[in-house]
Amino acid sequence: MGGVGGASGLARGGRARRHVVALIAFDGVQLLDVSGPVEVFTTANSYGARYDVHVVSPTGDDVRTSSGVRVGVDGTPGSLPRRVDTVVVPGRRDWRRAVADTELVRLTAALAARTARVTSVCAGAFVLAEAGLLDGRRAATHWDLAGDLAAAYPRVRVAADPLFVRDGPVVTSAGVTAGIDLALALVEEDHGAHMAREVARQLVVFMARPGGQSQFSTRMAPEPSQGAAGSAVRRVMDAVTADPTDDHGLDALARLVGLSPRHLGRLFRAETGMSPGQYVEAVRLEAAQALLESGPDGIEEVARRAGFGSSESLRRVFQQHLGIAPTVYRARFRTTAITTTTTADDADCRADAAGAADDGDRQAG
């Protein structure tokens, strides 16, 4: 396992001192992976923190981000102060090119060895993994890359849903804007909940965003294999997606493909990694998400059309899988093309949103 150094982040004699943050930038990096954490740290300085943020690159040259915007850097890692308190490694969508950059990986490992805390944003987790810093650790990355991280680095315990994960001195975050969530959590760790809350308010973001990455992802089961087993599973999947409201109990699905319920359950789990019941619930959840995003139906009607039967069942599944209420999901994701009027759902949404914000503050405080 790659090592993280033991540089102390404590102030001497109780006096505030500079907290050196080194962010490693490189060509192709995602701009928000860089600018989001930097903005959080520097905003915190307005409230009494003393973050000394250095953006460095392997060559010391400015870098061009994935959006084409050029970012100026302060030099190479060799220009950093001897003591580094936090290292931030952003990512690039094409993570294979990042991990193929041996100098980037080497410098990341070298900086990690002299810091008290090493972090990554989005696909930056792949660079940490290539450097051996995630071996045996839990880690997060962008929801769309979680499978790639698990496959490429089997010694990493990938957590697909959290916005960020701490495992010892290593903290990894989910995609892009989750770097802001990560940086706010670090400010809270260093200076307390009050300062983190003030920074969040100044930046007009959640201090503790409700829900995980699942609310932004599309839940899709793996494609079944070829052959008789895969064919039976595919028929079941097609039947469920064709009409989520139909009777999709295990017995009914087994009759559809002429198998015993136990045999179908084993085949389905072997082919997809989930039970038939879990797949049915995932399809119904996707159907409800689509209805909430694109239409004006009330929650009871959405529940009926998605196959849940009742709004209570719908709310339970949303909380279990997405960590938010259906009304909050609708307010966050529905298309701007919808013309809305004030309804009971809107009132519920405001109450749910307020409750989620209060929960976030309680968790952070």
Side-chain angles (χ1 to χ4, degrees), residues 140-159:
T141 189
H142 192 289
W143 62 265
D144 198 31
L145 298 176
D148 287 354
L149 183 61
Y153 300 97
R155 298 184 66 182
V156 180
R157 295 184 288 131
V158 179

Side-chain angles (χ1 to χ4, degrees), residues 327-343:
T327 47
V328 176
Y329 181 90
R330 163 172 275 167
R332 191 172 297 170
F333 290 104
R334 68 174 152 191
T335 174
T336 56
I338 298 176
T339 300
T340 61
T341 56
T342 301
T343 65

Side-chain angles (χ1 to χ4, degrees), residues 5-361:
S8 173
L10 299 176
R12 294 180 179 177
R15 293 178 300 161
R17 65 162 176 81
R18 292 188 309 157
H19 181 114
V20 177
V21 177
L23 190 147
I24 308 174
F26 47 91
D27 283 333
V29 71
Q30 295 196 157
L31 178 60
L32 267 174
D33 286 12
V34 176
S35 61
V38 168
E39 196 67 34
V40 170
F41 292 130
T42 55
T43 300
N45 288 345
S46 301
Y47 294 94
R50 295 192 64 197
Y51 290 110
D52 184 13
V53 181
H54 299 253
V55 179
V56 298
S57 69
T59 63
D61 295 328
D62 294 350
V63 302
R64 187 174 293 280
T65 66
S66 59
S67 60
V69 175
R70 186 173 292 278
V71 172
V73 306
D74 300 309
T76 67
S79 66
L80 291 169
R82 183 180 59 83
R83 186 196 67 246
V84 176
D85 299 288
T86 298
V87 171
V88 181
V89 181
R92 61 177 295 168
R93 183 70 182 177
D94 184 1
W95 60 266
R96 291 174 180 83
R97 293 190 64 179
V99 301
D101 186 339
T102 55
E103 185 63 8
L104 171 64
V105 174
R106 185 190 69 79
L107 289 173
T108 299
L111 276 178
R114 55 189 272 214
T115 188
R117 187 168 62 190
V118 61
T119 72
S120 67
V121 181
C122 195
F126 287 86
V127 178
L128 297 192
E130 183 68 18
L133 299 169
L134 298 183
D135 288 354
R137 298 188 188 276
R138 290 180 72 242
T141 189
H142 192 289
W143 62 265
D144 198 31
L145 298 176
D148 287 354
L149 183 61
Y153 300 97
R155 298 184 66 182
V156 180
R157 295 184 288 131
V158 179
D161 189 51
L163 292 172
F164 57 88
V165 170
R166 169 180 281 283
D167 191 326
V170 180
V171 193
T172 51
S173 85
V176 197
T177 60
I180 295 174
D181 300 84
L182 167 68
L184 284 169
L186 299 181
V187 170
E188 181 183 3
E189 181 178 307
D190 296 336
H191 297 282
H194 177 73
M195 181 182 293
R197 189 174 295 113
E198 290 302 311
V199 173
R201 286 172 176 163
Q202 182 65 31
L203 297 179
V204 198
V205 296
F206 284 109
M207 177 175 168
R209 194 184 333 189
Q213 292 195 85
S214 297
Q215 60 190 299
F216 304 102
S217 64
T218 302
R219 302 177 62 86
M220 294 294 289
E223 186 72 16
S225 63
Q226 300 297 318
S231 176
V233 170
R234 169 49 64 193
R235 286 177 60 197
V236 167
M237 296 173 75
D238 288 345
V240 173
T241 55
D243 184 6
T245 66
D246 204 355
D247 175 13
H248 295 309
L250 184 57
D251 289 344
L253 294 175
R255 286 194 299 271
L256 175 68
V257 292
L259 299 173
S260 71
R262 178 177 294 182
H263 187 41
L264 174 61
R266 286 199 300 265
L267 283 181
F268 204 95
R269 188 172 291 279
E271 291 288 327
T272 69
M274 63 176 71
S275 70
Q278 289 171 324
Y279 180 74
V280 171
E281 188 169 86
V283 169
R284 288 173 174 167
L285 176 61
E286 282 197 11
Q289 288 174 282
L291 290 167
L292 290 168
E293 291 168 12
S294 61
D297 290 340
I299 299 302
E300 285 288 351
E301 180 64 11
V302 168
R304 186 191 67 78
R305 292 179 61 190
F308 285 105
S310 73
S311 60
E312 286 305 311
S313 295
L314 178 67
R315 289 187 177 96
R316 175 185 58 78
V317 172
F318 262 70
Q319 288 291 351
Q320 179 182 346
H321 292 282
L322 307 184
I324 56 175
T327 47
V328 176
Y329 181 90
R330 163 172 275 167
R332 191 172 297 170
F333 290 104
R334 68 174 152 191
T335 174
T336 56
I338 298 176
T339 300
T340 61
T341 56
T342 301
T343 65
D345 280 352
D346 294 327
D348 288 344
C349 178
R350 288 192 291 270
D352 287 337
D358 288 344
D359 287 344
D361 281 350

